[in-house]
């Protein structure tokens, strides 16, 4: 059971902006723990695209941005491109579980 | 260059044991947590547990406690995930991930080890 909830899917036309929510609780995001985001292309290992809520690793386009507020976080993708089609996961730490937790995952489709 | 290289795909029968590995290179292996992540076919990512190779301090997800064993040998920069008795439901891709801290992000992932359990 994933304790971080994400919408199963979001879609948008090329060039549009989409957002993915990640809803947690007072024992994870709401307790102040950082949120990280991963992109997983089909058949590949996940790739870190946002760390510590809003930071981009080197090489990740600035079309990807992250934010966090209270018990939730969100990932925004602007200027949607065909190669953004992938599954996206949020991740944080949960003090009740004393370990990492992943979101349920969101499939992004470019129309 | 930081690399995590996992052992190859495995096909096993129910009831068999298995140990898969994850070897780190390009960094001080003992100084970073290694996490194991399961991904069942067509499903999402699940955190299984992590280990700090310096002292083998290990934490398991409640969902995996007692089902698997995580270990590490810092002398050969390798972490392990093992099962004593596999079940069909263990069929999945397994990834190792390097973390700077328990709640940290994973910038470096292994390529994954596919485990198939079938009679």
């Amino acid at each position: 059971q994933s304790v971080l909830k994400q919408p199963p899917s979001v879609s948008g036309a090329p060039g549009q902006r989409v957002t993915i929510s990640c809803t947690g609780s007072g024992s994870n995001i709401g307790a102040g723990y950082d949120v990280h985001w991963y992109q997983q292309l089909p058949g590949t290992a996940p790739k870190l695209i946002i760390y510590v809520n809003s930071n981009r690793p080197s090489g990740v386009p600035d079309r990807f941005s992250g934010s966090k507020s209270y018990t939730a976080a969100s990932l925004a993708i602007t200027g949607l491109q065909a190669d953004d089609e992938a599954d996206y996961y949020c991740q944080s730490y949960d003090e009740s579980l004393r370990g990492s937790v992943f979101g349920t995952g969101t499939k992004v489709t470019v129309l | 260059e930081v690399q995590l290289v996992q052992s190859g795909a495995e096909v096993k029968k129910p009831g068999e044991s298995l140990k898969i590995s994850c070897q780190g290179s390009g960094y001080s292996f003992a100084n970073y947590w290694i996490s194991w992540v399961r991904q069942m076919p067509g499903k999402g990512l699940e955190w299984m547990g992590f280990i700090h190779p310096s002292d083998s301090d290990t934490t398991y997800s409640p969902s995996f406690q007692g089902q698997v064993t995580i270990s590490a040998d810092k002398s050969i920069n390798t972490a392990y995930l093992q099962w004593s008795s596999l079940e069909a439901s263990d069929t999945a891709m397994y990834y190792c991930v390097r973390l700077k801290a328990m709640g940290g992000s994973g910038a470096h992932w292994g390529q994954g080890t596919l485990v198939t359990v079938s009679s």
Side-chain angles (χ1 to χ4, degrees):
Chain A
Q1 291 281 37
S2 297
V3 300
L4 303 181
K5 303 300 184 187
Q6 300 178 229
S9 63
V10 299
S11 61
Q16 284 192 329
R17 178 180 188 267
V18 297
T19 61
I20 301 170
S21 60
C22 173
T23 303
S25 68
S27 62
N28 42 69
I29 300 174
Y33 294 103
D34 295 324
V35 178
H36 320 293
W37 290 90
Y38 301 87
Q39 176 194 62
Q40 187 177 31
L41 298 170
T44 69
K47 171 190 173 185
L48 181 68
I49 57 171
I50 295 289
Y51 67 97
V52 186
N53 309 316
S54 60
N55 297 277
R56 281 186 310 278
S58 174
V60 174
D62 60 5
R63 300 185 298 102
F64 293 89
S65 62
S67 64
K68 174 188 157 186
S69 179
Y70 301 108
T71 58
S74 65
L75 173 72
I77 310 173
T78 57
L80 201 60
Q81 298 180 0
D83 57 5
D84 295 333
E85 275 208 347
D87 294 321
Y88 293 82
Y89 296 90
C90 59
Q91 179 224 332
S92 187
Y93 181 85
D94 189 284
E95 59 190 17
S96 296
L97 297 174
R98 289 186 64 239
S100 283
V101 286
F102 284 101
T104 47
T106 298
K107 182 174 183 59
V108 170
T109 301
V110 181
L111 302 172
Chain B
E1 177 194 8
V2 174
Q3 281 195 308
L4 295 174
V5 178
Q6 298 185 228
S7 49
E10 302 273 2
V11 180
K12 292 289 189 178
K13 290 181 166 35
E16 291 185 333
S17 62
L18 176 65
K19 191 173 188 178
I20 63 175
S21 65
C22 167
Q23 185 172 43
S25 63
Y27 73 100
S28 181
F29 184 76
N31 289 348
Y32 290 79
W33 293 87
I34 292 287
S35 184
W36 285 96
V37 176
R38 182 176 79 173
Q39 188 168 37
M40 299 177 75
K43 302 298 183 182
L45 306 173
E46 300 174 87
W47 173 72
M48 301 177 72
F50 35 47
I51 188 166
H52 201 282
S54 66
D55 58 4
S56 291
D57 181 17
T58 307
T59 301
Y60 293 93
S61 161
S63 299
F64 292 93
Q65 178 84 48
Q67 308 305 307
V68 297
T69 301
I70 295 171
S71 60
D73 184 342
K74 62 183 178 182
S75 69
I76 55 171
N77 295 349
T78 302
Y80 302 97
L81 177 65
Q82 69 180 90
W83 296 260
S84 59
S85 180
L86 287 160
E87 301 176 1
S89 58
D90 294 316
T91 294
M93 181 71 81
Y94 294 87
Y95 295 102
C96 62
V97 193
R98 189 192 86 161
L99 306 176
K100 191 177 291 188
M102 287 168 62
S105 59
H108 301 280
W109 291 64
Q111 82 276 20
T113 297
L114 180 62
V115 174
T116 303
V117 184
S118 174
S119 55

